[in-house]
Amino acid sequence: MSVEYKIPFTHEPGKYGLNDLPQNGGEALDITFGEFEILSYFIPDDEYGSEVRIYDSADFPLSEQIINDGLTASYDEGGRLKRVDLANGGKEKLVYIAIENERQAEEIILSNAEKNAELILQRLKDVREEIAIVFSEYYEDIEGFDIHVKYASNADIQAVSDKKRDKNNCGNYPEENRIDCDTDTLGIILMCIPGDIVYDMMSLLTDTINERIKDGIEGLPNKADGIEFIVSNYD
């Protein structure tokens, strides 16, 4: 059995829990929690009828109780719905974000690109070995966007060379060397961007993250001499 929640598109400015919002009357974002613990809704005013689905996971489980307790809606100074989030313990997940035009989309994309690049660079700084290669792999698709890096130390490169494999092929290195961006949030943002500009914004996101990482690895305290940065698109 599914449960439906209505998030009004207009309300008094501020951030509100689900229980503080009216559940009837007026235009609203209709969110459904249904079979297989999937939280879903259709993008408002989207000509393609795109549906966002958020799945239950070990890292962020979903239940009716979690949604009742943790779903919040934020409204700007004009009383317009700005975003919907879901909190669970110490974690928070973006559910929906209102993006009305290209300028707003670009601001959100650039802000999140900077945030994710900094996340990656911080994780690279924590690597105890000298890093000789940083690979960036990305997949550009609205419903399955992904971008992550994988690093290789000189020892990793030697192990690959000993097996007579290509040292410039990211797939030849251990999965434990992989560092992910916050692709859950990035995916929601991309789904909420108007369809006529979403592919341009996706390219801007990928290019900006890669540019920031490429510049940032030069300042890593644990970089090897001649550190390389290799970008590839996978499908």
Side-chain angles (χ1 to χ4, degrees):
M1 184 175 112
S2 62
V3 182
E4 295 185 358
Y5 306 94
K6 292 186 177 294
I7 308 297
F9 286 126
T10 58
H11 195 64
E12 293 295 319
K15 184 174 182 178
Y16 299 89
L18 187 62
N19 294 328
D20 297 321
L21 295 170
Q23 290 295 296
N24 48 51
E27 295 187 352
L29 178 69
D30 295 319
I31 300 178
T32 300
F33 181 62
E35 191 176 10
F36 307 117
E37 283 69 53
I38 297 173
L39 193 67
S40 64
Y41 62 88
F42 289 95
I43 300 294
D45 302 320
D46 180 61
E47 60 180 309
Y48 303 105
S50 302
E51 183 181 23
V52 174
R53 292 187 170 195
I54 299 171
Y55 296 90
D56 174 76
S57 69
D59 290 337
F60 203 107
L62 297 179
S63 69
E64 190 174 341
Q65 187 65 52
I66 288 171
I67 295 167
N68 286 336
D69 292 343
L71 200 69
T72 59
S74 299
Y75 295 84
D76 64 18
E77 293 178 356
R80 295 171 298 185
L81 179 62
K82 183 179 178 183
R83 58 186 291 150
V84 177
D85 296 282
L86 179 61
N88 182 14
K91 298 180 180 179
E92 190 167 65
K93 180 185 288 289
L94 177 66
V95 174
Y96 166 78
I97 186 166
I99 303 175
E100 298 177 0
N101 53 51
E102 186 170 356
R103 180 192 60 78
Q104 189 180 33
E106 188 171 319
E107 288 177 357
I108 292 169
I109 286 294
L110 291 175
S111 172
N112 280 273
E114 296 282 354
K115 188 185 302 181
N116 277 271
E118 186 56 39
L119 169 71
I120 293 293
L121 290 168
Q122 187 57 55
R123 293 281 303 279
L124 288 172
K125 286 178 185 177
D126 294 337
V127 175
R128 294 186 177 182
E129 304 166 283
E130 276 195 343
I131 298 172
I133 304 177
V134 175
F135 298 92
S136 175
E137 284 194 312
Y138 67 92
Y139 174 62
E140 290 188 332
D141 182 85
I142 298 172
E143 296 185 5
F145 177 81
D146 176 52
I147 182 167
H148 61 267
V149 303
K150 192 184 280 188
Y151 63 86
S153 66
N154 283 319
D156 292 324
I157 294 170
Q158 187 61 54
V160 167
S161 297
D162 289 345
K163 295 177 182 177
K164 295 182 169 51
R165 295 180 177 175
D166 182 3
K167 79 177 186 70
N168 292 329
N169 185 332
C170 180
N172 290 330
Y173 293 94
E175 277 302 298
E176 55 262 34
N177 291 13
R178 171 172 167 152
I179 303 173
D180 290 303
C181 287
D182 182 6
T183 49
D184 285 348
T185 298
L186 296 177
I188 295 293
I189 291 170
L190 290 171
M191 286 286 289
C192 291
I193 289 175
D196 59 335
I197 60 171
V198 65
Y199 287 101
D200 288 340
M201 292 299 107
M202 196 182 308
S203 295
L204 177 64
L205 174 62
T206 302
D207 291 346
T208 304
I209 290 175
N210 283 331
E211 287 169 9
R212 296 298 181 267
I213 293 173
K214 182 180 179 180
D215 291 343
I217 62 173
E218 293 300 328
L220 290 177
N222 52 348
K223 71 168 186 174
D225 290 339
I227 188 171
E228 297 180 73
F229 183 63
I230 299 174
V231 177
S232 61
N233 188 347
Y234 74 92
D235 52 25

